[in-house]
Amino acid sequence: MSNLEREAAPSLCGGRGFVVAEPVRELLSPRHVKLGESSEVRRLLPNLGRRMVGAWCFVDHYGPDDIADEPGMQVPPHPHMGLQTVSWLHEGEVLHRDSTGSLQTIRPRELGLMTSGRAISHSEESPRSHARFLHGAQLWVALPDGHRHTDPRFEHHADLPVVTAPGVKATLILGDLDGATSPGTAYTPIVGADLALTRGADVRLPLEPDFEYAVLSMSGEAHVDGVPLLPGSMLYLGCGRSELPLRAESDAGLMLLGGEPFEEELIMFWNWIGRSQEEIVQARKDWMEGTRFGEVKGYDGDPLAAPELPPVPLKPRGRVR
């Protein structure tokens, strides 16, 4: 899913000024956001106190939702620029359509990676015949200046590298981990991994000391560096770690997110990432006039209208509020 809030507010983030250069344990509580009439997500990034983890700049956790008698996910066509979207499921299916002509059903632990580049639009919906439960995460990765005007594209990777150790199975979503490399295209030094822990697991996950990290809890009961983490919450870990202790009180699912701290300062408004007020204003104009972002064919419904811009100028600033 994407940012469907009708009263969108700008997020000013990026830059190294607020990177924590040492290990920390900063618990991030989610903000509950309604999407449509019946769906709700837990938004972990951007957060009141922290905007980014490496190049990761947006994290929504949703479900598990019982949608047996519901239409499930229904996200009409909407635009993106300057970012990548990462669709990740633990349960259910999502049908992706976009303005490059892509049509793909994404299933649990398959990577749906959309690079918006200069401009793309897409829709996401549960198939008409779908599984009972829907549970997953939607994440964005900010594109660095040298790649943010690239051609839009969509990638689907059903076969991802898996790293195993006693008590843990790590599926590599993006970037590198313990010698394995994801087939997904990455534009900054980054890592995203899905961690499945069995009850009683007590392991240490290898990390890159120059990266900053966070862990999102998807399910179960786990301790991350001694901190109990409940589903729908995220623990920011800072930098300077060569390993991360993990202990599971039950079967548990976690997502490891990390990367080299993102140097550039950004403006994130609605579903766009830019560097200036002028870029955001132009993006809104282009979307509302039906130019530049293309057309999503095959979706039964109207595209989303962009929210109004705030009355104050948008200026790129640091990583935290």
Side-chain angles (χ1 to χ4, degrees):
M1 284 172 285
S2 296
N3 187 1
L4 305 190
E5 290 184 276
R6 303 310 305 145
E7 300 295 330
S11 264
L12 309 172
C13 49
R16 287 179 175 264
F18 294 94
V19 175
V20 179
E22 60 186 6
V24 296
R25 301 174 187 87
E26 181 182 309
L27 188 62
L28 304 180
S29 297
R31 180 166 63 95
H32 293 264
V33 177
K34 294 287 288 185
L35 296 183
E37 296 182 0
S38 59
S39 299
E40 184 179 86
V41 301
R42 291 164 289 279
R43 183 152 300 161
L44 284 311
L45 287 180
N47 195 283
L48 181 62
R50 185 155 302 279
R51 298 299 189 183
M52 299 184 76
V53 178
W56 300 99
C57 60
F58 183 95
V59 177
D60 273 355
H61 173 241
Y62 56 91
D65 295 326
D66 188 339
I67 59 170
D69 299 317
E70 303 289 341
M73 183 184 294
Q74 297 295 321
V75 182
H78 58 280
H80 286 289
M81 74 173 189
L83 57 91
Q84 293 176 290
T85 65
V86 175
S87 298
W88 190 253
L89 291 169
H90 275 195
E91 295 180 89
E93 307 89 24
V94 171
L95 179 62
H96 166 96
R97 305 175 193 264
D98 67 45
S99 54
T100 71
S102 299
L103 176 64
Q104 179 65 54
T105 299
I106 303 167
R107 297 181 172 84
R109 291 178 173 82
E110 297 179 354
L111 173 60
L113 177 64
M114 186 180 75
T115 301
S116 68
R118 61 179 178 272
I120 200 170
S121 56
H122 74 139
S123 65
E124 299 151 294
E125 56 187 316
S126 296
R128 186 163 298 178
S129 176
H130 55 255
R132 177 176 179 178
F133 292 102
L134 181 65
H135 181 205
Q138 181 72 27
L139 312 98
W140 296 356
V141 179
L143 289 172
D145 190 58
H147 296 283
R148 66 191 183 98
H149 299 294
T150 190
D151 292 339
R153 60 182 295 198
F154 177 77
E155 302 172 43
H156 175 246
H157 300 285
D159 187 15
L160 295 168
V162 175
V163 177
T164 60
V168 62
K169 176 182 177 181
T171 302
L172 187 55
I173 302 168
L174 205 60
D176 302 277
L177 179 69
D178 197 26
T181 300
S182 167
T185 303
Y187 294 92
T188 59
I190 197 171
V191 65
D194 182 271
L195 310 177
L197 279 69
T198 58
R199 182 178 181 179
D202 191 352
V203 299
R204 290 180 176 269
L205 195 70
L207 302 181
E208 295 289 337
D210 291 340
F211 281 16
E212 60 177 341
Y213 289 95
V215 172
L216 168 66
S217 175
M218 298 287 287
S219 61
E221 300 179 45
H223 285 69
V224 179
D225 198 17
V227 178
L229 204 57
L230 297 176
S233 60
M234 189 161 72
L235 186 67
Y236 176 71
L237 297 163
C239 297
R241 297 173 181 269
S242 58
E243 60 180 16
L244 180 63
L246 302 171
R247 181 165 54 87
E249 302 299 322
S250 66
D251 289 351
L254 305 172
M255 290 187 73
L256 175 73
L257 306 174
E260 189 174 278
F262 199 81
E263 292 187 357
E264 301 169 39
E265 296 184 340
L266 311 172
I267 295 174
M268 185 164 68
F269 178 76
W270 198 42
N271 293 295
W272 301 304
I273 290 181
R275 302 300 191 276
S276 69
Q277 163 98 5
E278 291 73 22
E279 287 182 8
I280 301 298
V281 170
Q282 187 63 52
R284 187 183 187 281
K285 181 176 184 291
D286 291 344
W287 173 246
M288 296 301 288
E289 292 180 351
T291 63
R292 179 178 164 196
F293 289 95
E295 179 185 357
V296 179
K297 296 182 179 179
Y299 181 84
D300 184 16
D302 296 326
L304 289 174
E308 295 293 332
L309 290 163
V312 296
L314 305 178
K315 296 181 180 179
R317 293 179 185 153
R319 302 166 56 85
V320 301
R321 178 176 291 178

